[in-house]
Amino acid sequence: MTSDLREAALEYHRLPTPGKISVTPTKSMVTQRDLALAYSPGVAEACMAIVADPAQADELTARSNLVAVVTNGTAVLGLGNIGPLAGKPVMEGKGCLFKKFAGIDVFDIELAENDPDALIETIARLEPTFGGINLEDIKAPECFYIEKKLRERMNIPVFHDDQHGTAIVASAAIVNGLKLVGKDIADVKLVCSGAGAAAIACIDLAVRLGLDPKKVLIVDRSGVVYPGRPGPLEENKARYANATSARTLAEAVVGADVFLGLSAPGVLTGAMIKAMARDPLIFAMANPDPEIRPEDAVAARPDAIIGTGRSDYPNQINNVLCFPFIFRGALDCGATTINEAMKVAAAHAIAELARAEVPEAVADAYKGEDLRFGRDYLIPKPFDPRLITSVAPAVARAAADSGVARRPILDLDGYRQKLDKLVYRSGHAMEPVFARARRAGKTVILAEGEDDRVLRAAQIVVDEHIATPLLLGRASVIERKIKALDLRLEPGRDVRIIDPQDPQVYTRAADLYYAARKRDGVSGALALSQMRNNSSLLAATLLQSGEGDAMLCGVFGRTWDHLNAIRDVIGMRPGVRTLAVMQMLVLPQHQLFICDTHYNADPNAEQVAEIALLAAEEVRRFGVTPRVALLSHSSFGTSNLPSARKMRQARELVRQRNPDLAVEGEMRGSAALSQDILDSAMPDSGFVGPANVLVMPNLDAANISYNLLRMAAGNGVTIGGILLGAAKTAHVLTPSATVRRIVNMAALAAVDASQRTGR
């Protein structure tokens, strides 16, 4: 790991609060009555209801949505036996994935215990607390025994993700790969390099799907597993000890149809795979470096279909495609276990999703990639929002059919609709933007290129292939800071430096600025001075002259000054008469866009309408369907003050110009975010909330609302300021901008520029 990534990772875990998780109450506790209901004496009623009917715990406590991620740290993430305390960051991270992808709450539990029986006793005693147990990073072969005994003892799902999560996703890839090349799973030969927990689980599930166990060869550190091999043979390996003359991996893969790699980097060579059967499936899943790199495999066998555990190659076999959703389905139906039928159902659901027609929202997020079932698309993308609505219902249905669901879900269509709302709340807001930015190949001028935050952001932009940064600043200062910050940026290769002290830069820009503004009181001398001292003005002039595709500015100084520089040089796009600034907040329950936070002090109805239309257009870049609320202190004519009348008039103007846009107002903020309040105030509005675009009546309301929400909601992701209406792609940050926000805005700028040019 590079030193700057190492420091960034440590800073990420350390600030602003140590760790990655917290516990947040789900009920209000602001009055004495609240406390009486939450604790004594009211809590006794909940306790006694559970005494009378233990199933009531599902309704009266958080247990039915609470999973324990349990480890003893003996096999952590390729780091080995680092112990439970050092493994805690990984377990917290697993909890974050459960919450992000499936809305499941997690307590991570790290146990200082290596004795399998003692570990079993400890975990089994946790059953009253949790709805499920996710075993994580426990070494083989103990993990097999621990899971088996816990499943026998506990009446809640116990799932060792290292085994079964990998197996489910790999099996989905095998099913689709064999379908693609026209092979029957019952006829194929499978060779597995590795004999740990994940490897055995992959083979077991493939056998469940129809693979002949007699056509399996396992290769471990001692070579091929075969009957009578000298030395002890662990029972899970012994099940697949088949008679063969092969003793090495090179000999084992001859004629094989499928290679599973869960071992070590570089153990499979091009020469080996040349001896495999036609159209071989090669799933090299060692991380971070696979058993063979895909480019080497394809060079040796152009007919091979490749999968790895990495995100930078097609067919990423990633547990996150599975574990959040299999637990979601299991918890929601009250499953007492996760059985083989549920695993098979999950594998088939993932496989079927890859074969299904890709909806516009998903295709848009991965525009430029061929998301059609084929050699490079055997399994869905990890951020495919359809995963939860495909896998969780399939798992719940299998649980009911196999008799392990305590609360069978009868209305699966209604259940899918409920899960759809969960996807909306989790709001993978920036993923579609990043995916498009990577394909756009754009250059982004960063006006304050000497700032530490900007340089750190530039490193991430380069690493993530989001754009090519053009750093505006003194070359000597930037190069010194790159070294001091221990960054890997190499000017001329990764970034370009545009030095405002270079006479060729500032004189050319001054000439352009003077030519454009000489009738607006700008003299040649003033133009020259401003180009040397105003980085935003220089960046805007360079952008206007075609030097880059987009620009960001504003990490220090007054936002108004940056906006004026852009307005004076770039101006507004044809047909637009209003500039505006929009901010985006990704909050726990809402994805909100708020405008205008920085530019128009008291817009008239025409301006409000144009801001609403511009905002709706921009929101669609995030893959979000806009629902625009025109806010006021009143709702639907309850006030006749000028500001309320203005917002009512703006709604009529918006509807005239875009009848298909979901827009409503004037309305109070409570009605915009609560369907119940909206229906009470205007039962036949036809507006299905909650709104996601809030257009305020004036700058004070917008700016105050944004900053209050940003601070009060805590840890929400903020993206902004997004400049609406400019003739070229230029966005204005604020002095409080973090590295993360600068990266987000660079991605958005690249996408904006791409869509303006159609490239």
Side-chain angles (χ1 to χ4, degrees):
M1 185 180 291
T2 59
S3 59
D4 63 299
L5 185 58
R6 184 180 302 111
E7 288 303 314
L10 293 174
E11 182 178 350
Y12 177 87
H13 283 79
R14 186 179 292 123
L15 300 172
T17 303
K20 299 189 286 282
I21 59 174
S22 68
V23 177
T24 304
T26 59
K27 301 294 192 297
S28 171
M29 290 189 214
V30 295
T31 68
Q32 182 62 40
R33 179 173 175 78
D34 292 337
L35 295 178
L37 295 172
Y39 199 55
S40 181
V43 71
E45 295 302 321
C47 294
M48 294 312 296
I50 295 170
V51 169
D53 178 9
Q56 285 294 301
D58 293 341
E59 302 293 330
L60 299 174
T61 75
R63 182 175 183 262
S64 62
N65 195 52
L66 185 61
V67 167
V69 174
V70 183
T71 192
N72 64 355
T74 53
V76 177
L77 244 200
L79 301 175
N81 187 355
I82 62 174
L85 184 61
K88 185 174 175 61
V90 180
M91 303 309 116
E92 287 188 359
K94 191 66 176 278
C96 292
L97 295 179
F98 267 108
K99 188 67 175 179
K100 178 178 179 64
F101 285 98
I104 294 171
D105 295 319
V106 164
F107 290 161
D108 62 290
I109 297 177
E110 295 76 30
L111 298 173
E113 182 57 73
N114 288 348
D115 178 78
D117 290 311
L119 201 60
I120 290 164
E121 288 297 325
T122 302
I123 297 170
R125 293 187 178 111
L126 298 174
E127 184 165 350
T129 303
F130 295 101
I133 304 290
N134 184 102
L135 301 176
E136 193 79 12
D137 294 350
I138 300 173
K139 71 183 180 72
E142 289 91 332
C143 59
F144 298 111
Y145 173 70
I146 291 166
E147 185 192 37
K148 179 175 182 291
K149 292 299 181 182
L150 287 173
R151 291 183 66 184
E152 290 171 358
R153 290 184 55 173
M154 301 183 79
N155 203 37
I156 57 175
V158 177
F159 187 80
H160 187 207
D161 185 46
D162 296 334
Q163 294 181 59
H164 308 300
T166 303
I168 289 167
V169 181
S171 293
I174 291 172
V175 166
N176 276 350
L178 293 177
K179 182 180 285 290
L180 191 66
V181 299
K183 295 183 182 181
D184 188 328
I185 193 170
D187 299 330
V188 302
K189 174 184 175 182
L190 182 147
V191 174
C192 183
S193 174
I200 298 298
C202 285
I203 298 169
D204 286 345
L205 190 54
V207 168
R208 287 266 176 188
L209 292 167
L211 177 69
D212 184 348
K214 298 299 182 184
K215 295 182 178 179
V216 173
L217 289 180
I218 294 177
V219 185
D220 64 9
R221 289 187 180 90
S222 301
V224 175
V225 175
Y226 61 91
R229 190 178 78 171
L233 194 60
E234 195 267 325
E235 65 174 323
N236 286 292
K237 296 183 192 180
R239 289 190 282 115
Y240 296 107
N242 290 315
T244 178
S245 61
R247 295 294 181 263
T248 66
L249 179 60
E251 295 169 348
V253 297
V254 174
D257 300 280
V258 180
F259 170 84
L260 291 182
L262 297 115
S263 54
V267 300
L268 187 68
T269 67
M272 291 180 190
I273 66 174
K274 284 181 179 179
M276 293 180 70
R278 71 164 179 89
D279 298 305
L281 308 185
I282 299 172
F283 299 127
M285 294 177 276
N287 260 325
D289 297 313
E291 284 79 3
I292 185 170
R293 288 197 170 270
E295 54 268 31
D296 296 333
V298 172
R301 285 294 298 268
D303 63 334
I305 296 177
I306 318 295
T308 69
R310 294 172 52 137
S311 61
D312 52 347
Y313 292 110
N315 299 323
Q316 183 191 14
I317 297 171
N318 188 332
N319 290 10
V320 80
L321 289 169
C322 166
F323 72 81
F325 316 119
I326 197 167
F327 266 101
R328 181 74 277 160
L331 292 172
D332 289 341
C333 71
T336 57
T337 187
I338 293 175
N339 59 23
E340 297 306 310
M342 295 159 74
K343 296 176 202 171
V344 168
H348 279 305
I350 293 169
E352 289 166 8
L353 186 57
R355 300 196 300 268
E357 182 181 352
V358 176
E360 183 179 356
V362 177
D364 211 32
Y366 293 95
K367 192 172 291 182
E369 295 187 39
D370 189 7
L371 298 191
R372 291 179 299 175
F373 177 54
R375 290 175 176 267
D376 290 338
Y377 186 64
L378 295 180
I379 46 180
K381 297 289 187 179
F383 278 90
D384 191 326
R386 300 172 298 163
L387 278 162
I388 192 169
T389 56
S390 298
V391 179
V395 168
R397 182 173 58 245
D401 292 345
S402 59
V404 299
R406 292 185 294 109
R407 302 186 306 274
I409 298 172
L410 302 178
D411 181 6
L412 286 172
D413 288 336
Y415 179 49
R416 288 188 186 92
Q417 291 176 8
K418 177 182 175 183
L419 294 174
D420 262 333
K421 294 179 181 178
L422 179 63
V423 172
Y424 167 73
R425 288 201 304 270
S426 66
H428 309 312
M430 285 304 298
E431 181 58 24
V433 177
F434 276 95
R436 294 176 199 159
R438 292 185 187 103
R439 295 185 297 273
K442 296 301 181 182
T443 56
V444 178
I445 301 170
L446 302 176
E448 293 93 359
E450 297 178 9
D451 186 88
D452 288 3
R453 291 167 294 168
V454 171
L455 288 171
R456 290 188 186 279
Q459 181 69 73
I460 298 170
V461 167
V462 169
D463 288 344
E464 295 293 322
H465 307 291
I466 292 168
T468 299
L470 305 183
L471 299 173
L472 197 56
R474 293 165 293 177
S476 59
V477 175
I478 290 175
E479 289 168 358
R480 185 176 71 247
K481 286 199 168 190
I482 287 173
K483 186 175 181 179
L485 295 170
D486 201 18
L487 302 176
R488 290 167 286 105
L489 293 173
E490 186 176 318
R493 183 194 68 183
D494 304 316
V495 299
R496 267 184 55 209
I497 297 175
I498 302 176
D499 192 335
Q501 301 298 315
D502 182 343
Q504 288 187 342
V505 171
Y506 66 75
T507 55
R508 174 174 172 268
D511 289 344
L512 293 170
Y513 184 57
Y514 171 69
R517 300 293 314 283
K518 61 186 177 183
R519 293 187 181 276
D520 297 317
V522 176
S523 66
L526 179 60
L528 198 61
S529 173
Q530 288 189 316
M531 287 303 134
R532 298 184 66 176
N533 296 290
N534 188 329
S535 61
S536 293
L537 195 66
L538 176 56
T541 303
L542 293 171
L543 179 64
Q544 182 71 0
S545 69
E547 187 67 38
D549 298 307
M551 67 169 278
L552 298 179
C553 62
V555 297
F556 56 77
R558 296 190 308 173
T559 303
W560 184 259
D561 293 334
H562 300 290
L563 288 165
N564 282 341
I566 293 168
R567 181 200 61 196
D568 291 346
V569 174
I570 293 173
M572 286 168 276
R573 71 191 209 205
V576 172
R577 292 180 290 177
T578 308
L579 288 179
V581 176
M582 179 171 71
Q583 305 286 348
M584 175 183 173
L585 283 168
V586 181
L587 304 175
Q589 298 297 324
H590 294 285
Q591 201 170 307
L592 291 179
F593 298 83
I594 300 175
C595 47
D596 167 28
T597 58
H598 283 88
Y599 199 68
N600 297 285
D602 187 15
N604 59 34
E606 283 277 353
Q607 290 174 312
V608 170
E610 188 163 52
I611 290 168
L613 291 165
L614 290 169
E617 178 185 342
E618 187 70 29
V619 164
R620 290 191 176 93
R621 300 194 203 283
F622 292 87
V624 174
T625 300
R627 293 185 297 277
V628 182
L630 305 175
L631 298 189
S632 179
H633 65 279
S634 63
S635 286
F636 309 111
T638 57
S639 168
N640 206 33
L641 290 177
S643 63
R645 292 201 307 272
K646 173 177 73 176
M647 302 309 278
R648 289 200 291 274
Q649 184 181 353
R651 173 183 176 271
E652 295 306 315
L653 293 171
V654 171
R655 289 179 64 82
Q656 289 171 19
R657 297 172 192 175
N658 189 346
D660 296 328
L661 178 65
V663 60
E664 191 53 274
E666 95 280 18
M667 63 202 301
R668 297 187 180 95
S670 55
L673 300 180
S674 168
Q675 189 69 48
D676 289 342
I677 294 175
L678 174 61
D679 290 344
S680 175
M682 180 60 67
D684 57 351
S685 73
F687 188 80
V688 180
N692 49 29
V693 181
L694 308 182
V695 180
M696 305 289 179
N698 57 51
L699 186 147
D700 281 346
N703 194 283
I704 292 168
S705 298
Y706 163 67
N707 280 294
L708 286 175
L709 280 171
R710 181 169 66 91
M711 299 305 295
N715 297 322
V717 176
T718 59
I719 295 105
I722 302 167
L723 184 58
L724 308 174
K728 289 182 176 287
T729 300
H731 297 302
V732 181
L733 301 157
T734 59
S736 63
T738 61
V739 171
R740 182 180 186 182
R741 198 194 308 180
I742 297 169
V743 172
N744 286 339
M745 288 302 297
L748 181 63
V751 173
D752 273 349
S754 176
Q755 293 190 346
R756 285 173 189 266
T757 60
R759 294 185 286 110

